[in-house]
Amino acid sequence: MSSILADLSFRMYSEPDRFKIDHFDRLPDPLILLVFNKVGDVKALGRCCVVSRRFHSLVSQVDNVIVRVDCVISDDDSNSSDSSADKANGAFSTLFRLVFGGIVKPLQALGQLLGPNRTALVSGSSSALPSSLAVGASQEDGGADQGGVTHHSPTQVLKNFCEIRLLRIELPSGELGIEDGVLLKWRADFGSTLDNCVILGASSVIQPKTGNAGDDDNYNGDDVDDNGSIPDSFYTNGGLKLRVVWTISSLIAASARHYLLQPIISEHKTLENLVLTDADGQGVLHMNSDQLEELRVKPLSASLASKRTLVPALNMRLWYAAHLELPDGVVLKGATLVAIRPTEQSPKKEPSDVSWVSTAFEEPYRTAARMLVKRRTYCLEMNSF
Amino acid sequence: MAEKASPSSNSISLKTVDGKIFKVSPAIANQMLTIQPLIKDSDSSTIISLPDVAAFHLTKIIEYLEGKPAAAPSAVDAFEAQFVKDLSPEELKGLLIAVGYLKVNGLVDLMANTVAKLIENKSVEYVRKFFGVVNDFTPAEEAKCRQEHAWAFDGVDED
């Protein structure tokens, strides 16, 4: 008996080729598909397409895909190939850049380059807003302008996927150039236009100091009189102005991202959840299945100024704390939370539900938002832009 | 599928393809969804044969089910990382097949995740070798397919 067992295991383990083929025959499609869905990364899945006919057809059934953008093509980069369109908008965009230059550049195309030679397309500014998405290596027509580099848009890269339900696109960095130490995060939900947006900012973030209790005394003065109101100095020292710039910049970034998603959404009818984020974790754009369907039925309105979705007239609520200490000891100086909704969607009576605001971010920022919404609320309005 | 064996305690006997018999508690066996219906009808003298599972794989499966911490997610993560750490690619693949066949609670996802991480940054050739796949493209078809997926071929690790 034992000798038979030994023979069996010899046969099982000592003939590698046979072992593999035996087992591959038994590796069912659902199991391979499960592995592919865990892989997610569109480049890795692209390589799996080349493995064999069976793998090629299985990859097309993957429903969870992640597209990591290596490079963003900003407005500046695409000027050469798009000059006529730019001239029409020239005056406006110059004005636009004067106002927001250095903070934000319009994201004109979601340019994602997953291929080699990416340096050719990376502009000096990490703050450029994507103006197109390109994955990998190339567009035939634009090739000459880009020194032969070919860009693959996410639309091209995703062409063979016909059953995507969850799509996550990750830009290489946040669009907004912010100074060191400044905290700025936004989360926006879109349908055909902006549904809501939450922005959390702080002029500086102070990590807890260990064994340096004396420092706390510096802040006590601020806190004692802190009744949740905004101090007068906020209006005069540029604090408010900076918050408005953060808000507008975030909305521009979000609406430019949204604009770029349109072709992807119209081609992938099975999409149920779409997230466009960045490696810095600065901004996150979400669209759920209802919102995706809304966009398919009712196309977005584009802004005249640049390639982005028109931001509707907005109601904003703002919370501010000069000094916000989180439970883990981290202190946010000049902490600001802004909750934004289109005017026409805002509830008629004073909205008391702030749960969507306090759950917009991941920890530890979720806690910060939860603490801020307990403070006094300030309302602002903004016209469509 | 079931045969009689000498009665023993309350445990379930599982027989692997290489002839080893493992006795496990019903609590453990119940987490293998494929054999769940067989457990109800079996008594302590029943031996359940597992034609797709080798002794090595069943040992690891039992190790996982017995050792997995019940509580904190961080403890589970640490346990799972340790569990897959020293498995060779060949063992990973065999274990994926075994847990896929047995539908082992939690372990299917863990093995799929681990295999996904292993192949994620690997070349086409590595993936073929790993899964034991025969390339059934003609050279012309493969060249065309590579051309269509040209964007997928940077950032690949050494095999």
Side-chain angles (χ1 to χ4, degrees), chain A residues 44-169:
Chain A
L45 292 172
R47 291 193 297 275
C48 287
C49 282
V50 185
V51 165
S52 72
R53 291 172 198 273
R54 181 182 175 210
F55 271 41
H56 192 282
S57 96
L58 284 171
V59 167
S60 69
Q61 299 168 38
V62 168
D63 62 16
N64 176 29
V65 178
I66 301 164
V67 178
R68 293 189 179 88
V69 177
D70 290 334
C71 172
V72 161
I73 304 166
S74 74
D75 196 16
D76 293 348
D77 298 314
S78 52
N79 275 354
S80 57
S81 57
D82 203 12
S83 53
S84 59
D86 268 14
K87 273 169 194 158
N89 294 327
F92 202 104
S93 57
T94 304
L95 180 66
F96 182 83
R97 274 177 211 165
L98 280 175
V99 178
F100 298 110
I103 299 288
V104 57
K105 291 181 183 173
L107 179 68
Q108 301 265 313
L110 208 43
Q112 165 185 355
L113 297 175
L114 294 182
N117 304 326
R118 63 185 70 152
T119 49
L121 283 144
V122 180
S123 73
S125 57
S126 63
S127 62
L129 293 170
S131 63
S132 68
L133 267 187
V135 178
S138 79
Q139 284 161 332
E140 294 302 314
D141 51 353
D145 286 343
Q146 313 287 355
V149 176
T150 48
H151 319 162
H152 292 277
S153 72
T155 319
Q156 289 171 294
V157 167
L158 294 170
K159 193 180 62 180
N160 289 331
F161 295 87
C162 30
E163 296 181 25
I164 304 180
R165 291 190 302 117
L166 312 174
L167 176 61
R168 180 184 174 90
I169 302 175

Side-chain angles (χ1 to χ4, degrees), chain A residues 1 5 8-9 12-13 16-17 19-21 23-28 31-32 34-56 59 66 68 70 113-116 118 135-138 140 152 156-161, chain B residues 15 17-20 51-57 90 93-94 96-101 108-113 115-117 119-125 127-138 141-142 145-156:
Chain A
M1 182 66 185
L5 281 179
L8 191 63
S9 61
M12 286 298 294
Y13 292 105
D17 288 343
F19 174 70
K20 279 176 194 155
I21 289 167
H23 275 247
F24 178 64
D25 287 338
R26 285 158 37 198
L27 192 56
L31 214 46
I32 297 176
L34 180 64
V35 171
F36 285 172
N37 274 308
K38 302 286 186 189
V39 167
D41 180 75
V42 75
K43 277 200 271 185
L45 292 172
R47 291 193 297 275
C48 287
C49 282
V50 185
V51 165
S52 72
R53 291 172 198 273
R54 181 182 175 210
F55 271 41
H56 192 282
V59 167
I66 301 164
R68 293 189 179 88
D70 290 334
L113 297 175
L114 294 182
R118 63 185 70 152
V135 178
S138 79
E140 294 302 314
H152 292 277
Q156 289 171 294
V157 167
L158 294 170
K159 193 180 62 180
N160 289 331
F161 295 87
Chain B
K15 187 176 171 188
V17 68
D18 41 352
K20 300 262 168 50
D52 277 3
V53 183
F56 170 76
H57 303 132
E90 199 67 8
K93 184 178 69 177
L96 172 66
I97 292 166
V99 301
Y101 166 72
V108 179
D109 267 2
L110 174 63
M111 295 319 300
N113 257 327
V115 170
K117 278 194 201 112
I119 64 168
E120 195 167 39
N121 295 317
K122 294 292 201 288
S123 67
V124 172
E125 292 71 22
V127 174
R128 270 184 200 141
K129 191 162 153 254
F130 177 80
F131 286 105
V133 183
V134 177
N135 175 17
D136 53 0
F137 286 117
T138 66
E141 283 170 340
E142 182 176 345
C145 193
R146 280 182 186 264
Q147 177 72 36
E148 284 170 3
H149 296 89
W151 41 267
F153 287 91
D154 72 327
V156 178

